Amino acid sequence: MNVFRLTGDLSHLVAIILLLLKIWKTRSCAGISGKSQVMFALVFTTRYLDLFTNFISPYNSVMKVIYLGCSYATVYMIYMKFKASYDGNHDTFRAEFLIIPVGGLAFLVNHEFTPLEILWTFSIYLESVAILPQLFMITKTGEAETITTHYLFALGLYRALYLINWIWRYYFEGFFDLIAIVAGCVQTILYCDFFYLYITKVLHGKKLSLPA
Amino acid sequence: QWNQQGHDEL
């Protein structure tokens, strides 16, 4: 464990909690893409199947349970509890155009052709594109609530910190996982234009609005 | 390269 991975995990945790609180406090999931949240729940489900079979550390197990619990709670709140506020008309990204190619790629490019490893690879590839429906929704609505931009910033920052973690681990441990690194680069690159808008607008007290 | 005893990252 190194400081970049730890801060990355904490940034990820902050993002997940921020979103949960936003929906719970405002009792509304306006501006939130349910499709992205379903994909994140799928990412955690397929990645943490080894929760009971492969014990790494108390920290690792606790975080996995928190991620799984929060992601399902978020999906539940979007599609059931606060369903009336779900903005389905703007959440129109075709998720199957992501899940099917990612599923196929996981079969073709993986470390080991076993069910658990293919599902893990699927979760890594899916996570790299899971935010697309959310970013697409923001372009369709032309704006995002400030709390939602903080959520997205923390979420984008987490994988950027993981990229530094992988440089650190390669240099100090000789460890590298090309699948995770390539997918992590794609994932972080997808946030670049959001990062630019966040830093130039939201951090200057402006609302994030796109030229519709 | 990838560690045999499974993935240790979240």
Side-chain angles (χ1 to χ4, degrees):
Chain A
M1 175 60 80
N2 60 68
V3 65
F4 300 106
R5 188 164 135 209
L6 186 59
T7 41
D9 288 340
L10 295 181
S11 179
H12 195 187
L13 184 64
V14 162
I16 291 174
I17 302 291
L18 257 185
L19 180 64
L20 212 52
L21 283 181
K22 173 251 186 283
I23 299 176
W24 181 254
K25 292 280 182 200
T26 63
R27 304 184 72 74
S28 157
C29 56
I32 301 298
S33 164
K35 296 187 177 187
S36 280
Q37 296 313 315
V38 166
M39 286 199 274
F40 283 127
L42 190 56
V43 163
F44 294 134
T45 306
T46 52
R47 188 176 302 179
Y48 300 154
L49 291 171
D50 64 349
L51 177 61
F52 301 108
T53 56
N54 182 20
F55 179 77
I56 303 281
S57 71
Y59 167 81
N60 186 273
S61 300
V62 165
M63 289 294 271
K64 285 176 177 177
V65 169
I66 294 174
Y67 286 176
L68 279 165
C70 290
S71 65
Y72 277 99
T74 302
V75 169
Y76 164 74
M77 287 203 288
I78 290 173
Y79 285 103
M80 303 218 224
K81 197 155 177 63
F82 303 120
K83 176 169 148 196
S85 64
Y86 172 56
D87 181 7
N89 301 321
H90 289 114
D91 190 13
T92 53
F93 194 99
R94 301 289 299 277
E96 57 274 23
F97 287 175
L98 295 175
I99 293 179
I100 293 166
V102 155
L105 188 63
F107 261 91
L108 297 173
V109 181
N110 52 59
H111 288 309
E112 189 189 21
F113 199 76
T114 59
L116 218 54
E117 192 55 31
I118 288 174
L119 285 170
W120 177 85
T121 310
F122 169 77
S123 87
I124 291 288
Y125 294 152
L126 183 62
E127 187 189 6
S128 64
V129 293
I131 201 61
L132 281 174
Q134 179 64 66
L135 297 175
F136 181 74
M137 185 173 187
I138 290 176
T139 62
K140 288 205 73 168
T141 56
E143 52 141 28
E145 288 180 38
T146 300
I147 185 72
T148 306
T149 62
H150 296 323
Y151 157 71
L152 284 168
F153 179 72
L155 196 60
L157 185 63
Y158 127 74
R159 213 60 176 172
L161 287 166
Y162 255 71
L163 293 178
I164 306 172
N165 151 63
W166 287 320
I167 294 168
W168 175 287
R169 292 193 73 182
Y170 179 67
Y171 187 74
F172 288 107
E173 301 170 28
F175 165 90
F176 72 98
D177 181 341
L178 214 50
I179 285 179
I181 292 170
V182 172
C185 289
V186 169
Q187 183 169 340
T188 305
I189 287 168
L190 290 177
Y191 281 85
C192 283
D193 63 333
F194 167 77
F195 282 146
Y196 172 76
L197 288 169
Y198 183 80
I199 289 165
T200 56
K201 288 196 174 177
V202 178
L203 292 190
H204 290 80
K206 299 192 190 89
K207 187 159 174 51
L208 190 134
S209 59
L210 301 174
Chain B
Q1 181 55 2
W2 161 67
N3 43 5
Q4 194 61 35
Q5 94 276 354
H7 302 283
D8 65 345
E9 292 181 341
L10 286 172

